[in-house]
Amino acid sequence: MRADCADCFALCCVALPFARSADFAADKPAGRPCSNLQQDFRCGIHARLRDKGYPGCTVFDCFGAGQKVSQITFGGVDWRRAPKTARSMFEVFPVMRQLHELLRYLTEALGLAPARPLHKPLRKALAHIDGLTRGSAESIMELDVNALRGEVNALLLRASELARAQVPGRGRNHRGADLMGAKLSGADLRGASLRGALLVAADLTGADLRDADLIGADLRDADLRGADLTGALFLTQAQLNAARGDAATVLPPTLSRPAHW
């Protein structure tokens, strides 16, 4: 569930649209290759994306969906060699990305000891969705991903509650809260629910976010310098890449310190 660009046909650079903004230097419609994409499916400005006005590319994570679509769903035949498959490939990719995101969350939930009572249904859900990712392009495009997300989210929420119940005190509930630009420097958010919270440009310097549930939290430009994210639940690399931090930010061992920090 980690992106392997070497085995992908640059699907994120073609299938997905983006608009000229602080994240992207130009407009690009879905299905059209980015102007920086080379013939070998590599990005011509990969080492200079932020300098060239494409920080949005540096925070994107397909959770391994790109190589799954490229090598399994379409058998290693790229859209340039088989242009008739291009449209189908580009439509499958965003669906596959959502499925792989769910697989990533389910895998993490299975690693939570306090969630052991849920391990059987979690394993069942994991096996089911993994099977769906190995279907045909047609079967994948017919999936009701919203329904799948709803079913998985119920399990993830229960797993989160069991894990956070082990944290001393009563974790705060900021689920879905609008905390854009909030002054939360040094805040005690240990074991808090920040599921889906809007934390854009929030000041979280030195905040205690140990064991906090951060699934779906928007951390774009959030200041995490000196914050403690030990045991943070469902935190992704993409969320960290979109935030700001420093050498004093404590991260879960499964995640990497972004190069721009």
Side-chain angles (χ1 to χ4, degrees):
M1 284 161 287
R2 290 179 179 270
D4 183 356
C5 297
D7 277 335
C8 178
F9 302 139
L11 297 184
C12 63
C13 306
V14 186
L16 305 179
F18 53 72
R20 186 183 181 96
S21 63
D23 291 322
F24 300 100
D27 295 321
K28 188 193 82 64
R32 179 185 298 175
C34 174
S35 60
N36 299 303
L37 184 64
Q38 302 178 133
Q39 287 298 310
D40 61 358
F41 300 113
R42 295 174 181 270
C43 174
I45 60 169
H46 187 266
R48 299 168 290 147
L49 282 166
R50 287 183 173 270
D51 294 337
K52 291 293 185 178
Y54 289 87
C57 296
T58 68
V59 305
F60 180 78
D61 186 357
C62 75
F63 300 102
Q67 64 259 30
K68 175 71 73 63
V69 173
S70 300
Q71 302 302 328
I72 296 181
T73 313
F74 288 88
V77 180
D78 68 73
W79 48 271
R80 283 192 172 124
R81 285 187 291 161
K84 290 184 178 180
T85 68
R87 181 175 178 179
S88 177
M89 190 180 295
F90 300 157
E91 290 178 352
V92 166
F93 174 63
V95 178
M96 186 71 82
R97 182 188 179 278
Q98 292 190 69
L99 296 178
H100 268 241
E101 183 181 18
L102 294 178
L103 290 176
R104 190 260 188 222
Y105 290 143
L106 286 166
T107 300
E108 180 175 339
L110 279 166
L112 299 175
R116 188 173 298 278
L118 294 175
H119 281 191
K120 184 176 181 179
L122 285 168
R123 282 193 295 269
K124 182 178 179 180
L126 182 71
H128 174 58
I129 294 177
D130 182 60
L132 294 177
T133 69
R134 300 176 189 280
S136 66
E138 293 74 19
S139 67
I140 292 171
M141 286 189 288
E142 290 173 357
L143 292 174
D144 185 344
V145 180
N146 286 333
L148 285 171
R149 294 189 77 94
E151 294 169 8
V152 171
N153 186 60
L155 284 172
L156 297 177
L157 178 59
R158 290 166 60 195
S160 170
E161 290 171 343
L162 288 171
R164 290 183 295 111
Q166 309 299 308
V167 179
R170 184 177 180 83
R172 298 181 181 181
N173 185 8
H174 296 295
R175 184 177 182 182
D178 184 350
L179 297 170
M180 185 172 180
K183 305 300 182 183
L184 297 168
S185 179
D188 180 4
L189 294 167
R190 187 177 182 188
S193 174
L194 290 160
R195 296 171 65 88
L198 185 64
L199 288 160
V200 177
D203 180 3
L204 289 161
T205 54
D208 187 350
L209 289 158
R210 287 176 294 169
D211 303 301
D213 186 342
L214 289 163
I215 193 168
D218 192 339
L219 293 172
R220 285 177 295 166
D221 205 33
D223 193 341
L224 294 173
R225 289 176 297 171
D228 190 345
L229 292 155
T230 303
L233 302 174
F234 309 121
L235 177 66
T236 67
Q237 189 65 50
Q239 286 172 298
L240 286 180
N241 292 347
R244 293 181 291 134
D246 61 10
T249 306
V250 183
L251 302 178
T254 56
L255 298 175
S256 302
R257 196 173 308 277
H260 66 278
W261 284 14

